Amino acid sequence: MCGIVGYVGQQEAVPILLDGLQKLEYRGYDSAGLAVISRGRLELRRCQGKLKHLVELVARSPLKSVVGLGHTRWATHGRPSEENAHPHTNTDGTLAVVHNGIIENDRALHQELEKAGYKFASDTDSEVFAHLIDKYYRPGTPLETAVRRAVARVKGTFALGVVSQREPQKIVAARRGSPLIVGLGNKEFFIASDVPALLPHTREVLYVADNELVVITPAGVKLTNAEGRAVVRKPDHITWDALQAEKGGYKHFMLKEIFEQPQVIEDTLRGRVSGLGGEVILDSAHLTAAEVKNFRRIFLVACGTSWHAALVGKFLIESLAGIPTEVDFASEFRYRSPLVDRQSLVVLISQSGETADTLAALQEAKKRQAQTLTICNVLGSSMTREAHGTLYTHAGPEIGVASTKAFTAQLAALHLLALFLGRKSGNLSAAKATVHMDRLRGVPRLMEKVLKTDAHIQELSALLFKNKDFLYLGRGINYPIALEGALKLKEISYIHAEGYPAGEMKHGPIALIDGRMPVVTLATNSSVLEKVISNIQEVKTRDGSVLALVTRGNREVPKKADWVIEMPPMEESISPLLNVIPLQLLAYHVAVKRGCDVDQPRNLAKSVTVE
Ligand code: AGP
């Protein structure tokens, strides 16, 4: 993981780098550091812990410069500490490197460099880059040549930024497998791991592709391929605006993002559902009717919250398109020899488009001749460049590490995909598709109503936040929502929580039930409500306490549950989009009550770009 940022231009680099790091802190916050060229000399500032410590350090010990690099770390090799914080330097401290990724042949390179007399000052794999570049950086050799030779020796993934006091107006950057973007300004240029770091300065960006190397100076940008040949690429224009990446008056990004969901769903549906003939327009998916009719099986592959979206997607695709659908964890899919062939559609679901396991699963699916489609939130991310087609979720930048709005945008996108496949395969009539589209279009308005439960949920969280364990139960299409509710609570409040299919409870977890474990139950109106009510009864019989989501007007559930959250009447097929919101809010308020760092929970990072 980790975030990197770099600046070359006419302005003071340090505030730009610190602001950029703040926008990238979601990528990791075990340590942070800067390297700048100040009056011809390389200067470093590095700290263990969050960025605020680096900001304090720089305030105590200021730096003046117009060129520099910044890094915020999520530790893989080497525990979080100042020595392991980036940037790393060569032995005489004249060049510095920031790195996001993993060097797989770290041991071999380490030994080779030690034999050649290089001294290592950290336990990180990244430091190898600093010494390896130094080795090739002979007098008269330009920095980019040394970097090119060094990266050719490295196995693994990287987005890399390098500065040297010998060429003080230059940053050399390279990538393989980890994201890297160049921001284009007026006589000033930037590198970054992600768009939000660039938004205050420019919306014109160049996406650096794998095995490319880029040199930025105040005079411009030079992009080359692995062989050193010039690459000409048109810049992309980013439509996200800087305000979307700010808190906008909310206490946390997560809360803001929860409240953005009605707008996000509208944006994700916009231009894709036509009132005419029940058609769904998904041009960028690049799927023809003939291809859809040829699919024998669909695989939905993802990690974490995106995997929960995939579980809901299975229900939707099988019921609307009638195509058998399997759901896989990306980390399992890539190693289990899946029965994927040219009659398969493999759908990779990822907010970031950079998750290492999901990206590897995409490559595996392509190797096996499958058609691939990614449902993704980040324009130009690795998955969108590798998959045959892309279905963008238009959630805007999601900064909170716990995914909320990106999840519901994925659910909406999967709904669209299911309708699209249903129409193209001939399984779904235009009339039925139109009914479903109308329901989907009604989701933002229903979400607004659900968000009004916020104050009530805050009160409930005051009663529940001291509990050490929670169980979440759901059935059918709401079983994945039970999993997602439990994951949200675990991630941000560090409370142990388990999601379970309600009917499975009696096969084991029922042994855990006592008065100290609240059971959050999804009991809104559905084809399986009677069964869910029996499950609530089973909990109550064993002195458990139940918090139930219930459809307004239902009389039976409130009689049995200890606490209820009333939901507006809604169709079962869209209920996951709505039922997840109170669970997001519950996790949020419980975490706030426990004094947890909601937006940057311990040990986590937003995109997991390592295996
Ligand atoms: C979500 O709250 C998590 N932080 C995490 O499970 C996430 O969904 C997972 O890492 C997948 O990320 P992606 O969607 O960017 O691929």
Side-chain angles (χ1 to χ4, degrees):
M1 233 112 4
C2 308
I4 68 171
V5 63
Y7 174 79
V8 201
Q10 325 295 326
Q11 303 187 58
E12 277 300 329
V14 171
I16 293 173
L17 296 173
L18 289 175
D19 182 66
L21 288 180
Q22 189 237 316
K23 303 284 174 5
L24 298 177
E25 212 185 359
Y26 71 85
R27 300 178 68 84
Y29 27 85
D30 288 329
S31 63
L34 293 178
V36 300
I37 310 292
S38 181
R39 295 190 196 89
R41 288 181 62 79
L42 183 76
E43 295 269 2
L44 292 194
R45 299 286 182 273
R46 303 186 305 175
C47 271
Q48 182 182 342
K50 293 203 168 182
L51 180 64
K52 64 177 186 201
H53 301 301
L54 180 67
V55 173
E56 285 160 15
L57 176 65
V58 172
R60 287 197 302 278
S61 175
L63 289 166
K64 277 188 85 63
S65 174
V66 290
V67 52
L69 296 170
H71 187 272
T72 179
R73 178 168 187 246
W74 187 77
T76 53
H77 289 52
R79 63 187 181 83
S81 69
E82 191 183 321
E83 310 80 72
N84 290 337
H86 298 221
H88 293 291
T89 66
N90 57 346
T91 311
D92 65 7
T94 53
L95 74 82
V97 174
V98 289
H99 169 221
N100 167 30
I102 288 201
I103 303 179
E104 286 163 10
N105 56 340
D106 160 53
R107 273 294 99 211
L109 291 171
H110 204 106
Q111 280 165 9
E112 171 189 321
L113 288 162
E114 270 182 338
K115 255 196 209 150
Y118 286 96
K119 299 264 176 292
F120 280 76
S122 76
D123 302 322
T124 66
D125 54 342
S126 307
E127 194 186 345
V128 159
F129 270 120
H131 299 303
L132 201 55
I133 294 167
D134 178 274
K135 177 174 163 179
Y136 296 120
Y137 196 30
R138 297 294 100 204
T141 306
L143 184 60
E144 51 272 36
T145 306
V147 173
R148 195 184 307 286
R149 293 189 67 186
V151 298
R153 301 279 322 278
V154 165
K155 292 202 175 91
T157 56
F158 52 82
L160 193 71
V162 190
V163 286
S164 159
Q165 66 180 44
R166 213 163 87 190
E167 297 172 77
Q169 295 242 298
K170 186 188 270 186
I171 292 178
V172 178
R175 86 158 261 189
R176 189 196 298 150
S178 304
L180 181 65
I181 317 165
V182 177
L184 309 175
N186 180 16
K187 294 192 189 137
E188 57 177 5
F189 299 93
F190 309 79
I191 58 163
S193 302
D194 197 2
V195 168
L198 304 178
L199 288 178
H201 314 286
T202 180
R203 303 237 198 111
E204 302 305 309
V205 304
L206 275 182
Y207 288 97
V208 180
D210 270 348
N211 301 313
E212 287 180 347
L213 183 142
V214 64
V215 179
I216 62 170
T217 66
V221 174
K222 214 168 90 193
L223 188 63
T224 49
N225 66 11
E227 291 76 43
R229 276 194 292 278
V231 173
V232 181
R233 178 164 307 134
K234 252 180 63 196
D236 278 284
H237 179 76
I238 302 293
T239 52
W240 292 357
D241 68 39
L243 274 183
Q244 281 181 292
E246 301 293 340
K247 280 190 201 148
Y250 286 89
K251 197 169 166 205
H252 295 100
F253 279 111
M254 182 180 175
L255 190 61
K256 172 179 173 252
E257 288 160 2
I258 291 172
F259 273 84
E260 280 173 350
Q261 290 178 103
Q263 187 59 50
V264 162
I265 301 306
E266 243 169 54
D267 293 345
T268 301
L269 299 181
R270 183 168 303 121
R272 287 167 166 170
V273 279
S274 117
L276 303 168
E279 288 320 310
V280 179
I281 304 130
L282 299 182
D283 292 344
S284 61
H286 302 312
L287 287 172
T288 63
E291 282 166 343
V292 171
K293 289 196 175 101
N294 181 46
F295 293 141
R296 279 190 312 174
R297 219 182 312 184
I298 294 178
F299 293 79
L300 302 177
V301 183
C303 300
T305 285
S306 300
W307 182 78
H308 297 154
L311 292 174
V312 176
K314 173 181 163 73
F315 277 91
L316 295 171
I317 293 173
E318 290 191 338
S319 69
L320 297 174
I323 307 174
T325 301
E326 286 185 28
V327 177
D328 257 295
F329 287 113
S331 52
E332 295 294 327
F333 178 86
R334 59 186 291 199
Y335 294 116
R336 77 166 173 88
S337 296
L339 296 174
V340 169
D341 57 22
R342 56 179 73 242
Q343 287 187 292
S344 312
L345 170 66
V346 178
V347 183
L348 298 306
I349 307 169
S350 175
Q351 186 284 130
S352 61
E354 303 292 348
T355 301
D357 285 321
T358 315
L359 192 55
L362 163 57
Q363 287 153 355
E364 182 64 34
K366 281 174 81 179
K367 226 189 281 162
R368 290 169 187 261
Q369 317 278 308
Q371 181 96 344
T372 57
L373 170 72
T374 181
I375 295 180
C376 186
N377 194 41
V378 179
L379 183 86
S381 57
S382 300
M383 285 179 218
T384 64
R385 276 180 285 118
E386 291 209 22
H388 297 112
T390 297
L391 177 46
Y392 279 111
T393 48
H394 295 300
E398 190 179 64
I399 312 290
V401 166
S403 186
T404 52
K405 63 174 181 172
F407 174 68
T408 43
Q410 288 167 346
L411 295 184
L414 282 159
H415 222 120
L416 289 173
L417 179 64
L419 290 169
F420 175 89
L421 295 171
R423 291 296 294 134
K424 296 283 181 213
S425 65
N427 192 62
L428 190 67
S429 71
K432 279 194 179 147
T434 307
V435 170
H436 277 278
M437 285 177 196
D438 287 344
R439 284 180 194 160
L440 260 184
R441 273 194 285 247
V443 166
R445 197 179 37 83
L446 287 168
M447 281 181 157
E448 298 285 3
K449 291 189 181 169
V450 175
L451 286 165
K452 295 206 169 97
T453 58
D454 183 45
H456 174 52
I457 294 172
Q458 196 171 352
E459 283 163 17
L460 289 173
S461 68
L463 304 173
L464 298 171
F465 78 101
K466 288 193 179 143
N467 286 284
K468 290 198 170 62
D469 305 279
F470 277 68
L471 188 61
Y472 284 70
L473 300 178
R475 270 180 181 256
I477 200 166
N478 276 298
Y479 150 56
I481 302 306
L483 297 183
E484 177 59 9
L487 180 67
K488 288 288 89 83
L489 191 73
K490 274 186 272 210
E491 281 189 298
I492 61 169
S493 71
Y494 319 139
I495 295 176
H496 166 243
E498 277 193 59
Y500 237 79
E504 276 289 301
M505 183 184 59
K506 55 188 169 297
H507 299 288
I510 200 162
L512 299 170
I513 305 280
D514 64 17
R516 291 187 305 275
M517 184 160 80
V519 181
V520 180
T521 311
L522 291 130
T524 47
N525 288 356
S526 72
S527 51
V528 287
L529 179 60
E530 284 310 311
K531 309 276 172 207
V532 177
I533 292 174
S534 309
N535 300 133
I536 292 178
Q537 191 56 56
E538 288 159 13
V539 174
K540 290 309 299 172
T541 310
R542 284 148 187 96
D543 293 332
S545 48
V546 172
L547 165 58
L549 259 56
V550 58
T551 306
R552 191 177 343 110
N554 179 295
R555 288 166 190 278
E556 222 178 322
V557 175
K559 275 190 220 152
K560 299 194 188 303
D562 298 79
W563 312 281
V564 294
I565 298 169
E566 278 200 349
M567 300 291 288
M570 59 194 152
E571 289 297 328
E572 191 172 355
S573 61
I574 55 164
S575 61
L577 281 148
L578 297 147
N579 282 343
V580 75
I581 293 177
L583 306 191
Q584 295 168 342
L585 287 168
L586 181 68
Y588 171 77
H589 288 299
V590 166
V592 170
K593 283 258 170 339
R594 291 168 71 93
C596 298
D597 189 342
V598 170
D599 284 334
Q600 295 177 345
R602 71 184 180 206
N603 304 339
L604 294 180
K606 184 74 184 160
S607 47
V608 184
T609 54
V610 293
E611 211 188 317

